[in-house]
Amino acid sequence: MCAAGEACDVEYSLAEEQDFQQVLNICSSDAFDGLDYMAPMFHCWLQEPGRVVFIARMNNRVVALESALLVDGGQTVVLQGLRVAPDLRHRGIASAIQKHVTDYVRHHYPEVSAVRLARGNQPSPQTLAKYRIIAKEAILSLCCEVTDLGPFVAELQSRLPCQTNSSSHSLVILDQQQAEMLILSDHVVSNLLPNKTIINDWEPLKPVQANLEVLRRRGLTWIADHELEPSAISLCTTPYAVPYRHDALHLHINIFGHSLASVCAVFLAQLEALLPSLPGYLIFYTYVDPEVWPGLCEFCQNNANVSFFKDYWEEVILEADL
């Protein structure tokens, strides 16, 4: 028998394609407010260089999943995707599979010195006893029918001159080479990134050359308010399907900068870039400096049927020595 709060009779293995349906079975449709990304990401994760995906089984049933991605030139692993079957939570399975993954990393990748993860709530005292907070972003979450996105952008564009002294034509959609040079520049790293951390979606990376390949694989759209020394630089993920609604798409916009005017400008530019091709219902999360969030929230008040999906919340980046 296992003591209360302990996992027992658990077997671990690397995930395979044939585990897909059992993995989906442990992902409840209402998890992450209906925005669970596991279905579109699972197969990609299995093929991604530098990533291992582990599953835990009990009695031949998949009961948990965790993955680890090597970043920072092999010096760090980012833990992502933790899932535990709803009926087996609070039995120590989450901690057990995380320990198994980190033990595997220690054995197979001895050069790794740190583990990093992102959480969407205030860490508990128990978590803070294991991890240190290295960065935070505030999340502004909005949702709408895609047909309402154009009127929303137009309404906010009409207010933009009141928000900024810089002309809109200075906004630039960066090509890959421009984006990579800019995101590693001393100006962006020292002045714009949260604690010198690139955060793409929920993936925290150091601003080093080795991480550029990770970012290339993400298919990001990069927009800045200036090409050389921007006040704000942003990246936007490719939209992906989520369970929230049959036609729902979810995307993430990370904006690095402290100027409200510049953040508003690149935010609208990212939405404009999405307009030509999106179908269905859209839920978009925008991650900004917590000091900028109130102003961006006020800027996004509208009459175009775009609603706030959630109230203020934060993405917290945690790190521990391995």
Side-chain angles (χ1 to χ4, degrees), residues 2 7-13 22 55-64 85 87-88 91 93:
C2 296
C8 61
D9 300 326
V10 178
E11 298 178 352
Y12 303 99
S13 63
Q22 283 206 60
I55 53 174
R57 283 189 173 88
M58 296 176 67
N59 299 320
N60 293 317
R61 172 195 174 195
V62 172
V63 297
D87 61 310
L88 294 174
R91 292 180 55 176
I93 294 174

PDB file of all heavy atoms in Angstrom, residues 2 7-13 22 55-64 85 87-88 91 93:
ATOM      1  N   CYS A   2       0.372   2.313  -0.619  1.00  0.00           N
ATOM      2  CA  CYS A   2       1.099   3.574  -0.650  1.00  0.00           C
ATOM      3  C   CYS A   2       0.565   4.490   0.416  1.00  0.00           C
ATOM      4  O   CYS A   2      -0.628   4.489   0.728  1.00  0.00           O
ATOM      5  CB  CYS A   2       0.933   4.266  -2.000  1.00  0.00           C
ATOM      6  SG  CYS A   2       1.636   3.351  -3.356  1.00  0.00           S
ATOM      7  N   ALA A   7       2.702   8.447  -5.002  1.00  0.00           N
ATOM      8  CA  ALA A   7       2.402   7.662  -6.195  1.00  0.00           C
ATOM      9  C   ALA A   7       3.020   6.284  -6.060  1.00  0.00           C
ATOM     10  O   ALA A   7       4.127   6.132  -5.576  1.00  0.00           O
ATOM     11  CB  ALA A   7       2.962   8.366  -7.429  1.00  0.00           C
ATOM     12  N   CYS A   8       2.288   5.265  -6.486  1.00  0.00           N
ATOM     13  CA  CYS A   8       2.843   3.914  -6.442  1.00  0.00           C
ATOM     14  C   CYS A   8       2.390   3.150  -7.667  1.00  0.00           C
ATOM     15  O   CYS A   8       1.450   3.541  -8.357  1.00  0.00           O
ATOM     16  CB  CYS A   8       2.396   3.191  -5.171  1.00  0.00           C
ATOM     17  SG  CYS A   8       0.612   2.992  -5.035  1.00  0.00           S
ATOM     18  N   ASP A   9       3.093   2.039  -7.936  1.00  0.00           N
ATOM     19  CA  ASP A   9       2.756   1.188  -9.078  1.00  0.00           C
ATOM     20  C   ASP A   9       2.706   1.982 -10.376  1.00  0.00           C
ATOM     21  O   ASP A   9       1.859   1.734 -11.240  1.00  0.00           O
ATOM     22  CB  ASP A   9       1.418   0.472  -8.843  1.00  0.00           C
ATOM     23  CG  ASP A   9       1.447  -0.402  -7.610  1.00  0.00           C
ATOM     24  OD1 ASP A   9       2.519  -0.974  -7.328  1.00  0.00           O
ATOM     25  OD2 ASP A   9       0.416  -0.505  -6.932  1.00  0.00           O
ATOM     26  N   VAL A  10       3.616   2.943 -10.513  1.00  0.00           N
ATOM     27  CA  VAL A  10       3.660   3.777 -11.708  1.00  0.00           C
ATOM     28  C   VAL A  10       4.842   3.343 -12.564  1.00  0.00           C
ATOM     29  O   VAL A  10       5.951   3.163 -12.062  1.00  0.00           O
ATOM     30  CB  VAL A  10       3.789   5.276 -11.341  1.00  0.00           C
ATOM     31  CG1 VAL A  10       3.890   6.126 -12.598  1.00  0.00           C
ATOM     32  CG2 VAL A  10       2.609   5.719 -10.489  1.00  0.00           C
ATOM     33  N   GLU A  11       4.598   3.180 -13.858  1.00  0.00           N
ATOM     34  CA  GLU A  11       5.645   2.852 -14.813  1.00  0.00           C
ATOM     35  C   GLU A  11       5.824   4.014 -15.772  1.00  0.00           C
ATOM     36  O   GLU A  11       4.845   4.608 -16.234  1.00  0.00           O
ATOM     37  CB  GLU A  11       5.277   1.579 -15.591  1.00  0.00           C
ATOM     38  CG  GLU A  11       5.129   0.345 -14.715  1.00  0.00           C
ATOM     39  CD  GLU A  11       4.723  -0.883 -15.521  1.00  0.00           C
ATOM     40  OE1 GLU A  11       4.415  -0.722 -16.720  1.00  0.00           O
ATOM     41  OE2 GLU A  11       4.710  -1.983 -14.940  1.00  0.00           O
ATOM     42  N   TYR A  12       7.080   4.330 -16.081  1.00  0.00           N
ATOM     43  CA  TYR A  12       7.383   5.480 -16.940  1.00  0.00           C
ATOM     44  C   TYR A  12       7.985   5.004 -18.251  1.00  0.00           C
ATOM     45  O   TYR A  12       8.735   4.030 -18.293  1.00  0.00           O
ATOM     46  CB  TYR A  12       8.371   6.422 -16.241  1.00  0.00           C
ATOM     47  CG  TYR A  12       7.882   6.921 -14.900  1.00  0.00           C
ATOM     48  CD1 TYR A  12       8.328   6.325 -13.719  1.00  0.00           C
ATOM     49  CD2 TYR A  12       6.970   7.960 -14.813  1.00  0.00           C
ATOM     50  CE1 TYR A  12       7.875   6.772 -12.484  1.00  0.00           C
ATOM     51  CE2 TYR A  12       6.505   8.410 -13.590  1.00  0.00           C
ATOM     52  CZ  TYR A  12       6.963   7.806 -12.424  1.00  0.00           C
ATOM     53  OH  TYR A  12       6.505   8.248 -11.203  1.00  0.00           O
ATOM     54  N   SER A  13       7.671   5.727 -19.316  1.00  0.00           N
ATOM     55  CA  SER A  13       8.266   5.435 -20.621  1.00  0.00           C
ATOM     56  C   SER A  13       8.194   6.686 -21.481  1.00  0.00           C
ATOM     57  O   SER A  13       7.407   7.611 -21.209  1.00  0.00           O
ATOM     58  CB  SER A  13       7.530   4.282 -21.309  1.00  0.00           C
ATOM     59  OG  SER A  13       6.185   4.638 -21.580  1.00  0.00           O
ATOM     60  N   GLN A  22      -4.806   8.026 -25.509  1.00  0.00           N
ATOM     61  CA  GLN A  22      -4.778   7.902 -24.060  1.00  0.00           C
ATOM     62  C   GLN A  22      -4.299   9.193 -23.402  1.00  0.00           C
ATOM     63  O   GLN A  22      -4.770   9.544 -22.309  1.00  0.00           O
ATOM     64  CB  GLN A  22      -3.878   6.733 -23.640  1.00  0.00           C
ATOM     65  CG  GLN A  22      -4.522   5.361 -23.817  1.00  0.00           C
ATOM     66  CD  GLN A  22      -3.928   4.352 -22.848  1.00  0.00           C
ATOM     67  OE1 GLN A  22      -3.996   4.519 -21.628  1.00  0.00           O
ATOM     68  NE2 GLN A  22      -3.333   3.306 -23.409  1.00  0.00           N
ATOM     69  N   ILE A  55       5.494   9.598 -20.388  1.00  0.00           N
ATOM     70  CA  ILE A  55       4.171   9.294 -19.845  1.00  0.00           C
ATOM     71  C   ILE A  55       4.334   8.351 -18.659  1.00  0.00           C
ATOM     72  O   ILE A  55       5.319   7.614 -18.559  1.00  0.00           O
ATOM     73  CB  ILE A  55       3.231   8.673 -20.893  1.00  0.00           C
ATOM     74  CG1 ILE A  55       3.878   7.456 -21.551  1.00  0.00           C
ATOM     75  CG2 ILE A  55       2.820   9.707 -21.932  1.00  0.00           C
ATOM     76  CD1 ILE A  55       2.949   6.717 -22.490  1.00  0.00           C
ATOM     77  N   ALA A  56       3.368   8.412 -17.757  1.00  0.00           N
ATOM     78  CA  ALA A  56       3.296   7.497 -16.616  1.00  0.00           C
ATOM     79  C   ALA A  56       2.066   6.615 -16.792  1.00  0.00           C
ATOM     80  O   ALA A  56       1.001   7.102 -17.196  1.00  0.00           O
ATOM     81  CB  ALA A  56       3.203   8.283 -15.313  1.00  0.00           C
ATOM     82  N   ARG A  57       2.233   5.332 -16.496  1.00  0.00           N
ATOM     83  CA  ARG A  57       1.116   4.391 -16.604  1.00  0.00           C
ATOM     84  C   ARG A  57       0.866   3.705 -15.267  1.00  0.00           C
ATOM     85  O   ARG A  57       1.805   3.404 -14.521  1.00  0.00           O
ATOM     86  CB  ARG A  57       1.415   3.305 -17.642  1.00  0.00           C
ATOM     87  CG  ARG A  57       1.272   3.731 -19.093  1.00  0.00           C
ATOM     88  CD  ARG A  57       1.373   2.503 -20.014  1.00  0.00           C
ATOM     89  NE  ARG A  57       1.081   2.831 -21.396  1.00  0.00           N
ATOM     90  CZ  ARG A  57       1.996   3.250 -22.267  1.00  0.00           C
ATOM     91  NH1 ARG A  57       3.254   3.395 -21.871  1.00  0.00           N
ATOM     92  NH2 ARG A  57       1.653   3.521 -23.512  1.00  0.00           N
ATOM     93  N   MET A  58      -0.390   3.455 -15.017  1.00  0.00           N
ATOM     94  CA  MET A  58      -0.818   2.604 -13.910  1.00  0.00           C
ATOM     95  C   MET A  58      -1.802   1.594 -14.474  1.00  0.00           C
ATOM     96  O   MET A  58      -2.786   1.988 -15.120  1.00  0.00           O
ATOM     97  CB  MET A  58      -1.469   3.429 -12.792  1.00  0.00           C
ATOM     98  CG  MET A  58      -0.532   4.416 -12.107  1.00  0.00           C
ATOM     99  SD  MET A  58      -1.366   5.464 -10.875  1.00  0.00           S
ATOM    100  CE  MET A  58      -1.794   4.235  -9.639  1.00  0.00           C
ATOM    101  N   ASN A  59      -1.536   0.321 -14.278  1.00  0.00           N
ATOM    102  CA  ASN A  59      -2.412  -0.740 -14.803  1.00  0.00           C
ATOM    103  C   ASN A  59      -2.662  -0.566 -16.296  1.00  0.00           C
ATOM    104  O   ASN A  59      -3.808  -0.659 -16.773  1.00  0.00           O
ATOM    105  CB  ASN A  59      -3.736  -0.768 -14.033  1.00  0.00           C
ATOM    106  CG  ASN A  59      -3.540  -1.046 -12.556  1.00  0.00           C
ATOM    107  OD1 ASN A  59      -2.716  -1.877 -12.182  1.00  0.00           O
ATOM    108  ND2 ASN A  59      -4.280  -0.327 -11.712  1.00  0.00           N
ATOM    109  N   ASN A  60      -1.597  -0.258 -17.029  1.00  0.00           N
ATOM    110  CA  ASN A  60      -1.635  -0.094 -18.487  1.00  0.00           C
ATOM    111  C   ASN A  60      -2.435   1.126 -18.951  1.00  0.00           C
ATOM    112  O   ASN A  60      -2.732   1.264 -20.138  1.00  0.00           O
ATOM    113  CB  ASN A  60      -2.201  -1.355 -19.175  1.00  0.00           C
ATOM    114  CG  ASN A  60      -1.284  -2.554 -19.014  1.00  0.00           C
ATOM    115  OD1 ASN A  60      -0.067  -2.429 -19.150  1.00  0.00           O
ATOM    116  ND2 ASN A  60      -1.865  -3.705 -18.697  1.00  0.00           N
ATOM    117  N   ARG A  61      -2.772   1.984 -18.049  1.00  0.00           N
ATOM    118  CA  ARG A  61      -3.497   3.215 -18.388  1.00  0.00           C
ATOM    119  C   ARG A  61      -2.554   4.404 -18.263  1.00  0.00           C
ATOM    120  O   ARG A  61      -1.829   4.534 -17.275  1.00  0.00           O
ATOM    121  CB  ARG A  61      -4.684   3.394 -17.430  1.00  0.00           C
ATOM    122  CG  ARG A  61      -5.402   4.721 -17.554  1.00  0.00           C
ATOM    123  CD  ARG A  61      -6.290   4.951 -16.346  1.00  0.00           C
ATOM    124  NE  ARG A  61      -6.888   6.294 -16.367  1.00  0.00           N
ATOM    125  CZ  ARG A  61      -7.473   6.875 -15.318  1.00  0.00           C
ATOM    126  NH1 ARG A  61      -7.541   6.220 -14.157  1.00  0.00           N
ATOM    127  NH2 ARG A  61      -7.967   8.087 -15.419  1.00  0.00           N
ATOM    128  N   VAL A  62      -2.528   5.277 -19.270  1.00  0.00           N
ATOM    129  CA  VAL A  62      -1.755   6.507 -19.178  1.00  0.00           C
ATOM    130  C   VAL A  62      -2.422   7.424 -18.151  1.00  0.00           C
ATOM    131  O   VAL A  62      -3.611   7.748 -18.264  1.00  0.00           O
ATOM    132  CB  VAL A  62      -1.652   7.218 -20.541  1.00  0.00           C
ATOM    133  CG1 VAL A  62      -1.006   8.596 -20.377  1.00  0.00           C
ATOM    134  CG2 VAL A  62      -0.846   6.378 -21.512  1.00  0.00           C
ATOM    135  N   VAL A  63      -1.655   7.831 -17.131  1.00  0.00           N
ATOM    136  CA  VAL A  63      -2.221   8.654 -16.067  1.00  0.00           C
ATOM    137  C   VAL A  63      -1.531  10.007 -15.927  1.00  0.00           C
ATOM    138  O   VAL A  63      -2.025  10.885 -15.207  1.00  0.00           O
ATOM    139  CB  VAL A  63      -2.157   7.918 -14.708  1.00  0.00           C
ATOM    140  CG1 VAL A  63      -3.008   6.647 -14.754  1.00  0.00           C
ATOM    141  CG2 VAL A  63      -0.716   7.599 -14.315  1.00  0.00           C
ATOM    142  N   ALA A  64      -0.396  10.197 -16.628  1.00  0.00           N
ATOM    143  CA  ALA A  64       0.305  11.479 -16.503  1.00  0.00           C
ATOM    144  C   ALA A  64       1.256  11.660 -17.681  1.00  0.00           C
ATOM    145  O   ALA A  64       1.648  10.686 -18.354  1.00  0.00           O
ATOM    146  CB  ALA A  64       1.087  11.556 -15.192  1.00  0.00           C
ATOM    147  N   ALA A  85      -4.228  12.579 -14.823  1.00  0.00           N
ATOM    148  CA  ALA A  85      -5.641  12.202 -14.942  1.00  0.00           C
ATOM    149  C   ALA A  85      -6.446  12.836 -13.808  1.00  0.00           C
ATOM    150  O   ALA A  85      -6.036  12.778 -12.647  1.00  0.00           O
ATOM    151  CB  ALA A  85      -5.767  10.686 -14.902  1.00  0.00           C
ATOM    152  N   ASP A  87      -8.976  12.059 -12.060  1.00  0.00           N
ATOM    153  CA  ASP A  87      -9.383  11.233 -10.924  1.00  0.00           C
ATOM    154  C   ASP A  87      -8.213  10.759 -10.071  1.00  0.00           C
ATOM    155  O   ASP A  87      -8.420  10.103  -9.041  1.00  0.00           O
ATOM    156  CB  ASP A  87     -10.186  10.023 -11.409  1.00  0.00           C
ATOM    157  CG  ASP A  87      -9.377   9.120 -12.339  1.00  0.00           C
ATOM    158  OD1 ASP A  87      -8.774   9.658 -13.295  1.00  0.00           O
ATOM    159  OD2 ASP A  87      -9.339   7.897 -12.119  1.00  0.00           O
ATOM    160  N   LEU A  88      -6.991  11.093 -10.475  1.00  0.00           N
ATOM    161  CA  LEU A  88      -5.816  10.633  -9.736  1.00  0.00           C
ATOM    162  C   LEU A  88      -4.958  11.788  -9.231  1.00  0.00           C
ATOM    163  O   LEU A  88      -3.807  11.574  -8.843  1.00  0.00           O
ATOM    164  CB  LEU A  88      -4.969   9.706 -10.622  1.00  0.00           C
ATOM    165  CG  LEU A  88      -5.616   8.369 -11.006  1.00  0.00           C
ATOM    166  CD1 LEU A  88      -4.741   7.626 -12.002  1.00  0.00           C
ATOM    167  CD2 LEU A  88      -5.870   7.513  -9.763  1.00  0.00           C
ATOM    168  N   ARG A  91      -2.291  12.756  -5.535  1.00  0.00           N
ATOM    169  CA  ARG A  91      -1.746  11.480  -5.058  1.00  0.00           C
ATOM    170  C   ARG A  91      -0.241  11.399  -5.275  1.00  0.00           C
ATOM    171  O   ARG A  91       0.336  10.322  -5.188  1.00  0.00           O
ATOM    172  CB  ARG A  91      -2.452  10.310  -5.761  1.00  0.00           C
ATOM    173  CG  ARG A  91      -3.912  10.155  -5.368  1.00  0.00           C
ATOM    174  CD  ARG A  91      -4.597   8.998  -6.068  1.00  0.00           C
ATOM    175  NE  ARG A  91      -3.911   7.722  -5.874  1.00  0.00           N
ATOM    176  CZ  ARG A  91      -4.376   6.553  -6.332  1.00  0.00           C
ATOM    177  NH1 ARG A  91      -5.521   6.517  -6.996  1.00  0.00           N
ATOM    178  NH2 ARG A  91      -3.698   5.437  -6.130  1.00  0.00           N
ATOM    179  N   ILE A  93       1.403  11.966  -8.085  1.00  0.00           N
ATOM    180  CA  ILE A  93       1.820  11.536  -9.419  1.00  0.00           C
ATOM    181  C   ILE A  93       2.549  12.657 -10.151  1.00  0.00           C
ATOM    182  O   ILE A  93       3.550  12.414 -10.845  1.00  0.00           O
ATOM    183  CB  ILE A  93       0.605  11.038 -10.228  1.00  0.00           C
ATOM    184  CG1 ILE A  93       0.058   9.760  -9.584  1.00  0.00           C
ATOM    185  CG2 ILE A  93       0.973  10.796 -11.689  1.00  0.00           C
ATOM    186  CD1 ILE A  93      -1.226   9.249 -10.203  1.00  0.00           C
TER     187      ILE A  93
END
